[in-house]
Amino acid sequence: MFASDIGHWDVPDLRGVLPEAWELVDHGLLDEAQFRDFTCGNIVHMLTAGNRDFFAGTAVSEQLPLTV
């Protein structure tokens, strides 16, 4: 799962965090579907596995399901 403390003191520019993670795709370590799961789908699956309504009433609920 992707995790980043973008507010940490040693992250001088938070706009670089996600592009840095995208280098996994650039270097052929992940494909685009795997990157989507890495940055979003896996955490959605984890949060909804125990409570399918975890995102009910939120903007995220309109985008579900994010993974198969």
Side-chain angles (χ1 to χ4, degrees):
M1 276 186 238
F2 177 74
S4 175
D5 186 357
I6 61 174
H8 199 261
W9 64 270
D10 66 347
V11 178
D13 186 350
L14 61 102
R15 295 172 296 179
V17 173
L18 200 54
E20 184 80 19
W22 182 257
E23 288 183 9
L24 293 167
V25 177
D26 289 340
H27 296 297
L29 299 170
L30 297 177
D31 62 28
E32 290 186 27
Q34 291 169 320
F35 185 79
R36 181 181 173 132
D37 284 342
F38 170 63
T39 55
C40 186
N42 293 335
I43 191 68
V44 168
H45 176 71
M46 183 187 79
L47 293 172
T48 58
N51 177 3
R52 294 185 57 76
D53 294 326
F54 186 87
F55 292 105
T58 71
V60 176
S61 67
E62 297 173 13
Q63 301 301 316
L64 299 176
L66 293 172
T67 60
V68 178

